[in-house]
Amino acid sequence: MDEAIEAGSLFVRLGGRQVLHGLTFTAPPGRVTGLLGPSGCGKTTMMRCVVGVQTITSGRVRVLGEPAGTPSLRNRVGYVTQAASVYPDLSVRDNVRYFAAIYGTSRAEADRALADVDLTDLAGQLVRTLSGGQRTRVSLACALLAAPELLVLDEPTIGLDPVLRRDLWARFHELAAAGTTLLVSSHVMDEAGQCDKLLLMREGRIVAEDTPAALRAITGTDDLEEAFLRVISGAADTGATEYPGGRSGTDEPGDPIDPMTGAIR
């Protein structure tokens, strides 16, 4: 398997509005790929396509060598949404231990997951009494228990303090070093440097796909937020659709493609 995720000519239209405009991109196995861009640019929709829960207009997405959404991927892909997916009337500890039992992992692993997201002190508290950010951390702890081959995280560090963000990113890199592929979205550009590869999005298009080092070199700045702005500014000034370092990751509409087989309809 050369790539953990492969997407080609991915179009999504919702409510009569084009949300994704022909995205083509890859994510390498055992690495942290960052999906960065402003709120509303299509990051969540793209992640839903990868997980296989989003209806696509045309294009194809393959995950771990299979079409996205294939039933056999359910135990191989973990997904943490922005909305917490845990039981509000159970305690933090009971939620995590419940999922540990489902995944066949030990209570010790459940306690480790709680410590990873800094929730040990709140373990006995009911989830419904937690803040939104704390509930998201409970969801993340549950997802970590499954030890998936691919972990898709939709803005997992939003609302977290700098120390916890640092610790979570350290944990993400530990997982990648052990072979897990991570796709992590954020609208905070200072997290871009934590990633092995970057997909920069704007208005439903991928405007750059590169490593942080290559993006810095091509744009002539060490500041990744400034690099992103220069990519946007350069495209606006020249009308170019191609990123200077290679393809922009956005295709023009063509023949519809079956998302499961990749065949032209």
Side-chain angles (χ1 to χ4, degrees):
M1 180 179 62
D2 294 329
E3 302 289 350
I5 304 171
E6 297 178 272
S9 302
L10 180 61
F11 289 86
V12 172
R13 191 173 183 84
L14 296 173
R17 182 174 67 91
Q18 197 72 39
V19 178
L20 299 183
H21 300 263
L23 306 187
T24 295
F25 64 90
T26 61
R31 297 289 186 270
V32 180
T33 296
L35 176 60
L36 288 103
S39 297
C41 71
K43 300 189 298 297
T44 295
T45 301
M46 193 193 95
M47 288 185 142
R48 286 172 52 84
C49 293
V50 170
V51 177
V53 296
Q54 177 65 58
T55 300
I56 67 175
T57 304
S58 64
R60 61 187 180 274
V61 185
R62 294 187 66 82
V63 175
L64 303 175
E66 301 185 59
T70 300
S72 59
L73 290 173
R74 290 173 185 167
N75 293 328
R76 303 173 66 194
V77 178
Y79 180 34
V80 178
T81 64
Q82 292 185 44
S85 302
V86 287
Y87 295 100
D89 292 325
L90 293 180
S91 70
V92 172
R93 180 185 293 110
D94 287 345
N95 264 285
V96 178
R97 287 184 175 178
Y98 171 75
F99 283 100
I102 291 175
Y103 298 138
T105 56
S106 67
R107 288 193 170 191
E109 286 297 316
D111 293 341
R112 163 72 192 277
L114 282 177
D116 284 341
V117 297
D118 195 30
L119 285 176
T120 302
D121 291 343
L122 298 177
Q125 193 164 325
L126 293 180
V127 166
R128 61 181 168 80
T129 67
L130 302 178
S131 69
Q134 290 168 335
R135 293 186 193 191
T136 298
R137 284 151 58 192
V138 179
S139 289
L140 178 56
C142 294
L144 292 175
L145 286 169
E149 295 174 54
L150 169 64
L151 187 55
V152 180
L153 305 172
D154 195 353
E155 301 201 349
T157 61
I158 188 170
L160 302 185
D161 67 79
V163 174
L164 183 54
R165 282 174 56 199
R166 179 201 63 194
D167 292 346
L168 278 180
W169 276 103
R171 179 63 172 144
F172 296 161
H173 285 292
E174 287 178 8
L175 291 168
T180 302
T181 302
L182 291 93
L183 178 63
V184 184
S185 74
S186 178
H187 62 262
V188 181
M189 288 304 297
D190 65 4
E191 294 189 328
Q194 300 274 9
C195 304
D196 300 305
K197 180 178 181 177
L198 297 175
L199 304 172
L200 303 185
M201 283 191 72
R202 180 176 172 84
E203 296 178 349
R205 295 175 170 84
I206 293 178
V207 296
E209 177 179 1
D210 224 327
T211 64
L215 186 64
R216 290 184 179 104
I218 289 167
T219 57
T221 178
D222 289 333
D223 185 328
L224 286 170
E225 182 169 356
E226 177 62 25
F228 178 76
L229 293 173
R230 290 185 184 184
V231 169
I232 297 299
S233 177
D237 291 343
T238 65
T241 59
E242 291 295 317
Y243 167 60
R247 63 180 174 82
S248 65
T250 302
D251 300 327
E252 292 303 317
D255 292 324
I257 300 174
D258 189 291
M260 299 300 289
T261 66
I264 295 177
R265 292 172 178 163

